[in-house]
Amino acid sequence: MKAVICTKYGPPEVLKIQEVNKPIFKDNEVLVKIISTAVNSGDVRVRGLVADGIMKLIMRLMIGFSKPRKAILGTVYAGVIEDVGINVSKFKKGDKVFGMTAFNFGTHAEYTAVKEKSYISLMPENASFDEAVSLIFGGQTAIYFIDKVRLSEMKSPNVLVIGATGSVGTAAVQIAKFNGAEVTAVCSTKGKDLMEQLGVSNVIFYDLEDFTKQSVQYDFIFDAVGKTDKKQCQALLKENGIYKTVGGFEYASESHEQLEKIKNLYEKGRLKAIIDRKFPLDRIVEAHEYVDTGRKKGNVIINVFES
Ligand SMILES: NC(=O)c1ccc[n+]([C@@H]2O[C@H](COP(=O)([O-])OP(=O)(O)OC[C@H]3O[C@@H](n4cnc5c(N)ncnc54)[C@H](OP(=O)(O)O)[C@@H]3O)[C@@H](O)[C@H]2O)c1
């Protein structure tokens, strides 16, 4: 099968398309033909070994010293079950599924084998493969942080989402709104149309004004792009207000329930798929270059097979 091999840590050019063996699936695994995957901020971070100070060493220890131990990167997929192991009961050949492999990586390829009990679910019934795969990375991260602060238990919470136009930000805005929040978004003026599309009317454009100088206070401030710290936002927090950032030492963990939530929200029309650009697998280097800019709006999709 065709796969993208990360030959060493470095710029996008370290990625090479190669022919490798199709994965052999175990008795408790399913073989997925990947129709769509995505290049997320996490993928470019791994490829470039982007981390500060001691975190760089920790990253090397976790994912490989001089190059990624798992040569095929990519963590999200939407596709069709091509075959199932003899102990698999939840899925059958032909099922349309979507999921996340997390630290097992391996989705920037034509096929992947995953455990039936991993983060895999039937795709939202009304989603295309591109739409389904675009929901996962930002959706799971946003749900993790929003559930962590128990937003659904707050009464009409006032929420500030900083970095509202990224993969995590676009999901956070929508999921906070679903939980009854009054959302204010912080983004650049380039995000104006996108915020309209997501039904957010309170928007502060950071390239026009300093959002930390406003008089409004919030129950929850979520920095979905990791550009602030709590001290900077302290004056914007209500007395018992909570601040969370994706840029600190708290890492979102994946769960099967998050994937089910994403599926439900999408089927109910409460979560939109935000897709910025699409590239065929052969143009993976360009996709990484674009994600490296840190300016993408929503998600960047890789089309592996035609759907
Ligand atoms: N802790 C965790 O568990 C966890 C999980 C997932 C992701 N992350 C981290 O979260 C960050 C965001 O991830 P992502 O996938 O959403 O990234 P992304 O999609 O690449 O986000 C980029 C977006 O952020 C906007 N942006 C850039 N600078 C900004 C600023 N100063 N203020 C407000 N918006 C700004 C950009 O728009 P403009 O250029 O128009 O401003 C762009 O739309 C990444 O650093 C990632 O590594 C952490």
Side-chain angles (χ1 to χ4, degrees):
M1 68 167 184
K2 222 163 38 165
V4 180
I5 302 296
C6 184
T7 54
K8 56 184 174 180
Y9 296 121
E13 292 71 25
V14 301
L15 302 171
K16 306 285 177 208
I17 306 271
Q18 290 181 11
E19 274 300 319
V20 300
N21 291 334
K22 212 166 158 178
I24 296 165
F25 57 97
K26 300 197 179 98
D27 293 350
N28 61 347
E29 289 183 341
V30 297
L31 181 67
V32 181
K33 177 177 178 179
I34 298 174
I35 308 293
S36 307
T37 178
V39 177
N40 294 309
S41 54
D43 299 317
V44 300
R45 190 179 278 272
V46 170
R47 186 218 70 230
L49 196 73
V50 180
D52 295 327
I54 186 76
M55 284 311 290
K56 203 168 234 165
L57 178 64
I58 292 173
M59 227 171 130
R60 282 187 196 273
L61 291 171
M62 280 174 74
I63 59 172
F65 215 79
S66 56
K67 61 180 183 181
R69 237 172 262 126
K70 310 261 182 183
I72 306 171
L73 303 184
T75 60
V76 292
Y77 61 88
V80 179
I81 298 221
E82 170 121 333
D83 215 337
V84 297
I86 49 167
N87 294 334
V88 169
S89 56
K90 241 171 89 185
F91 300 103
K92 58 180 187 320
K93 278 186 204 178
D95 280 348
K96 289 182 179 179
V97 291
F98 74 145
M100 186 179 230
T101 56
F103 279 107
N104 287 322
F105 301 98
T107 70
H108 289 168
E110 292 182 326
Y111 295 88
T112 190
V114 297
K115 288 195 173 65
E116 127 177 271
K117 287 195 177 135
S118 62
Y119 311 119
I120 176 171
S121 170
L122 290 176
M123 259 171 43
E125 279 178 16
N126 49 343
S128 67
F129 293 101
D130 291 353
E131 287 162 346
V133 85
S134 76
L135 304 170
I136 305 170
F137 181 80
Q140 290 207 303
T141 307
I143 290 172
Y144 168 85
F145 282 100
I146 284 172
D147 284 355
K148 203 72 200 271
V149 302
R150 299 174 186 260
L151 195 70
S152 63
E153 293 170 24
M154 297 182 195
K155 203 162 173 277
S156 311
N158 211 12
V159 172
L160 183 72
V161 178
I162 302 164
T165 52
S167 177
V168 180
T170 50
V173 162
Q174 299 181 78
I175 294 163
K177 274 169 64 115
F178 175 76
N179 282 290
E182 175 69 27
V183 173
T184 299
V186 177
C187 63
S188 76
T189 40
K190 291 196 188 88
K192 188 170 179 289
D193 292 348
L194 180 51
M195 289 305 107
E196 269 172 31
Q197 195 188 327
L198 297 181
V200 183
S201 45
N202 305 327
V203 185
I204 303 172
F205 298 112
Y206 74 80
D207 44 355
L208 297 183
E209 60 179 302
D210 181 349
F211 74 89
T212 62
K213 298 284 189 298
Q214 57 180 308
S215 54
V216 184
Q217 287 191 310
Y218 297 91
D219 299 285
F220 176 38
I221 298 178
F222 180 42
D223 183 347
V225 74
K227 298 284 183 186
T228 62
D229 57 36
K230 188 173 179 186
K231 211 168 141 206
Q232 248 177 300
C233 299
Q234 191 66 54
L236 304 179
L237 281 175
K238 286 185 186 173
E239 200 182 330
N240 294 316
I242 307 170
Y243 170 90
K244 290 269 180 199
T245 177
V246 293
F249 290 105
E250 183 168 3
Y251 292 97
S253 51
E254 301 79 24
S255 75
H256 189 260
E257 290 68 38
Q258 292 161 350
L259 211 50
E260 287 296 322
K261 256 188 203 178
I262 288 170
K263 174 171 154 62
N264 276 325
L265 285 172
Y266 192 83
E267 287 175 347
K268 282 189 191 135
R270 302 301 298 267
L271 182 62
K272 290 189 170 118
I274 307 300
I275 296 174
D276 182 339
R277 295 188 188 178
K278 299 181 186 184
F279 297 85
L281 189 67
D282 289 344
R283 287 172 55 201
I284 191 85
V285 170
E286 280 172 69
H288 269 249
E289 280 167 354
Y290 183 52
V291 178
D292 265 349
T293 64
R295 308 256 89 103
K296 76 176 162 67
K297 305 287 173 277
N299 299 279
V300 167
I301 304 302
I302 301 293
N303 297 121
V304 184
F305 285 103
E306 278 190 27
S307 54

